[in-house]
Amino acid sequence: MSDPVQFWNDCGAEFARISRAPNSFFARRAALVAELVSRHLSSGRMLDIGCGTGQLCLELARRGFDVHGADLSSLQIEIAIQAARGILDTPEGRFQVCTPDSLPFEGPFDLVAAIGVLPYIQDQPAFIQRTLSLLKPTGMFVASCTNPASLFTLVEVTRHILSFRPKRAWVSKLRNLVRTGLPDGSCVDVRTARQCRSASALDQLCRQLGLTVEGEFDLYHVNWGFLDESPFERRRCGRVLSRHFGWSHIGAYRLGSGPFK
């Protein structure tokens, strides 16, 4: 189990390079998450935990949200600030570095997002409970989890085996893929972690914490464009398959029982 701050400072530059490509999986996922949110919430004050280079914040700012982002990586926060110049007022105050135990912003928020964050959290139930304390009584929580038993994992493991190298790094990557579905691992101790590793597990945990499911979609993250082309338009069979074999499950969950405005 490695230090999460060091982990993200080490891989932050590479992740930023990959994620900021306009056609990257991560850029497209941010746009789809913004669309999912907009179907249930028209505007409001939002916080993106693990905001990376600020893509989701910028997508939601264009839709009228009052956005804030926090991330462990100082490098990615600086990139987010630069990307927001000319789009948001005082971007330095909207994007700030956080620690694993504290956030630089106080609630309440209409929306809190944690996209691509949960796989790197050792105790997900405790993290989500703390996150919910930042929400307004009928606020929305949007999060994603990674499915190790996904088509993406199968494809990547197969490719990795075919490129066999008798080196420790090769073995480490294979172990990471099988355990977490992530090529670089997740800086947590998977033997003791309390984590959701499937769509149904995340839904169940959120229901146990008093949330209701507002909407969801799944992405395969494989280089076959037709699979992830229109995730909101899948028919029932397609939704079932993507829910079980997709790599990234994104769910929108709501506190309380009142309608969103």
Side-chain angles (χ1 to χ4, degrees), residues 2-16 19 26 29 50 52 71-76 100 115-121 182 184-188:
S2 59
D3 176 68
V5 176
Q6 187 62 49
F7 177 89
W8 281 110
N9 281 332
D10 288 345
C11 68
E14 178 65 10
F15 179 78
S19 65
F26 301 101
R29 182 173 65 176
D71 200 279
L72 297 176
S73 169
S74 57
L75 170 64
Q76 295 196 68
I115 303 301
V117 172
L118 293 184
Y120 303 92
I121 302 296
L182 300 164
D184 297 321
S186 60
C187 68
V188 302

Side-chain angles (χ1 to χ4, degrees), residues 132-151:
L132 298 185
S133 69
L134 299 170
L135 284 173
K136 292 181 180 180
T138 56
M140 177 184 285
F141 174 60
V142 180
S144 69
C145 68
T146 299
N147 175 20
S150 65
L151 178 60

Side-chain angles (χ1 to χ4, degrees), residues 175-232:
R175 183 188 300 115
N176 287 333
L177 280 167
V178 172
R179 286 182 170 184
T180 67
L182 300 164
D184 297 321
S186 60
C187 68
V188 302
D189 186 345
V190 296
R191 297 168 298 179
T192 59
R194 300 177 65 200
Q195 291 192 324
C196 300
R197 298 190 176 98
S198 69
S200 58
L202 180 59
D203 285 353
Q204 181 179 3
L205 173 59
C206 287
R207 288 190 180 102
Q208 289 173 350
L209 295 175
L211 295 158
T212 57
V213 180
E214 283 287 299
E216 61 184 12
F217 67 92
D218 298 87
L219 296 173
Y220 286 98
H221 187 24
V222 295
N223 199 21
W224 307 334
F226 68 94
L227 284 178
D228 284 339
E229 187 174 354
S230 302
F232 293 119

Side-chain angles (χ1 to χ4, degrees), residues 110-126:
D110 298 281
L111 167 69
V112 176
I115 303 301
V117 172
L118 293 184
Y120 303 92
I121 302 296
Q122 181 76 15
D123 189 339
Q124 291 179 0

